[in-house]
Amino acid sequence: MPTLYDIKPRFQALLKPFVSRLARRGVTPNQITGLALALSAVVGGLLLALPGQRWLLVLLAVALFVRMALNAIDGMLARDHDLTSRFGALFNEVADVVSDAVLYLPLAAALLPFGVSAAAIIGFAVSGIIAEFAGAIAPMVGAARRYDGPMGKSDRALLAGGAAVWLALGLPDAGGAALTLVFWLASGLGLWTIANRLWAALGAENAS
């Protein structure tokens, strides 16, 4: 199933010179993973503490893009510069799920003043968290880590960031009802993603 994850190699190619400089300076993948987690926690805390602030929605969109870049950078540091570790693999998976939780769950409070259903955003967040869990447990049955769509990590970031910018700019028809529907649809796509990842993992295991 197509997902924005499919364009990740092109994004990584753009980052490669920067990643090489980081490696020469002794930066580790775990430091980058920790930075992404800290960024998510700070922005999520601000969203929870200051709901309804339009400038925070712009900050959220920027943070989602930066986090996506950091997620690519930590993996490239680990693979391309022989910095993989068992702890790093576990830390990366846990940090990704925690980052999703601390960014997307506070969004329910942040968008409530704009008329967006908190339940729809919570459904979107929870389905995304379970989708990442479903992908991470695939090696338990002999499959590779699964990144199947249609609602992968990058897709969720694009949707949430786009919704945040739309509301922040006060664009026409930026009503809560429309975005509520969008987040409910995204939740459904999240459930589809969970099923795709589990089914693909089982198929890979049966083929081996």
Side-chain angles (χ1 to χ4, degrees):
M1 180 60 61
T3 173
L4 282 178
Y5 187 82
D6 295 337
I7 68 171
K8 188 176 181 179
R10 299 179 188 175
F11 188 45
Q12 289 176 328
L14 294 174
L15 292 172
K16 192 169 185 178
F18 178 64
V19 172
S20 295
R21 287 196 293 271
L22 290 178
R24 288 194 295 269
R25 294 185 180 185
V27 177
T28 69
N30 292 339
Q31 289 172 337
I32 298 298
T33 301
L35 179 61
L37 177 57
L39 173 67
S40 301
V42 170
V43 175
L46 289 172
L47 289 171
L48 197 58
L50 302 169
Q53 298 295 313
R54 293 183 186 274
W55 66 271
L56 266 180
L57 298 180
V58 176
L59 178 62
L60 170 65
V62 172
L64 286 168
F65 177 79
V66 172
R67 182 193 159 200
M68 187 165 56
L70 292 174
N71 286 337
I73 289 169
D74 65 6
M76 293 173 69
L77 275 172
R79 290 187 305 272
D80 298 347
H81 299 276
D82 196 25
L83 294 172
T84 58
S85 68
R86 294 173 66 191
F87 173 80
L90 294 174
F91 181 41
N92 182 66
E93 292 291 354
V94 172
D96 275 353
V97 172
V98 173
S99 293
D100 274 0
V102 299
L103 265 181
Y104 293 133
L105 290 175
L107 196 59
L111 298 191
L112 195 59
F114 297 98
V116 182
S117 166
I121 297 177
I122 291 171
F124 165 75
V126 171
S127 67
I129 290 169
I130 298 174
E132 292 309 306
F133 178 71
I137 63 173
M140 293 178 63
V141 295
R145 208 290 189 191
R146 302 303 311 183
Y147 297 97
D148 308 83
M151 188 55 61
K153 181 164 53 180
S154 299
D155 306 283
R156 294 193 301 274
L158 179 63
L159 188 151
V165 170
W166 188 269
L167 289 174
L169 297 179
L171 295 175
D173 299 322
L179 283 179
T180 293
L181 177 60
V182 168
F183 277 106
W184 276 126
L185 290 174
S187 300
L189 292 175
L191 296 177
W192 187 1
T193 301
I194 295 166
N196 278 343
R197 292 184 178 186
L198 294 176
W199 185 259
L202 289 173
E205 190 272 338
N206 290 333
S208 61

